[in-house]
Amino acid sequence: MLVSAILAEKGRDVATAAPDTPVMSIIEDLSEKNIGAIVVTDERHSVVGIISERDVVRALANQGATILDQPVSSFMTQSVVTCSEHESVHDLMSKMTSGRFRHLPVVADTRLSGIISIGDVVKTRIAEVEREANALRDYISSN
């Protein structure tokens, strides 16, 4: 299955923030929206960073509550690994496993067009395996 099919099913909404957004605002958004990461974008909606729950916890552990009023750009991951709508679930699994991260922004023509989480990948793979098992059962029972 391709990223485009996953986005067609789940939607293209992505929580974003500007680079100057205070970390406290990021924490509030993560909590209110029950999400694990926020993509940081510029005025052209291009990805300039990503901040995850892990990034926030790490920054708090290292620097304490003083980070809460600082801009997200000080703590975000700037070298963001992204994917395109033409990549497969297997491509995503490889990227997520090797990079040890749980969110991949989807980019089309340098602009953010969606996000794929590890939960999306797992759900898709389970559905694929179930379809394959059903097809195999149908094949066996018809012979």
Side-chain angles (χ1 to χ4, degrees), residues 15-137:
T16 62
D20 60 351
T21 303
V23 171
M24 187 63 202
S25 179
I26 297 296
I27 293 170
E28 290 167 348
D29 281 351
L30 289 169
S31 177
E32 288 171 15
K33 296 174 181 174
N34 197 28
I35 56 175
I38 293 178
V39 180
V40 182
T41 57
D42 62 17
E43 59 281 345
R44 294 179 313 275
H45 213 56
S46 294
V47 176
V48 296
I50 190 167
I51 184 120
S52 69
E53 296 167 313
R54 288 180 186 175
D55 296 327
V56 172
V57 169
R58 194 173 298 115
L60 281 167
N62 291 334
Q63 297 180 33
T66 60
I67 72 159
L68 298 177
D69 294 324
Q70 294 182 42
V72 68
S73 59
S74 299
F75 306 100
M76 69 185 187
T77 299
Q78 294 180 19
S79 300
V80 182
V81 175
T82 62
C83 66
S84 75
E85 294 189 28
H86 308 293
E87 291 185 61
S88 71
V89 170
H90 293 285
D91 296 332
L92 301 182
M93 289 189 308
S94 177
K95 284 184 179 186
M96 288 178 162
T97 301
S98 65
R100 300 195 67 204
F101 42 78
R102 300 175 288 175
H103 300 88
L104 275 173
V106 182
V107 175
D109 298 323
T110 73
R111 296 180 55 134
L112 180 65
S113 65
I115 192 164
I116 301 293
S117 72
I118 190 69
D120 300 325
V121 171
V122 169
K123 179 180 174 184
T124 300
R125 268 309 284 145
I126 289 171
E128 285 177 345
V129 168
E130 287 175 351
R131 278 192 302 276
E132 290 168 2
N134 287 336
L136 193 54
R137 272 192 286 278

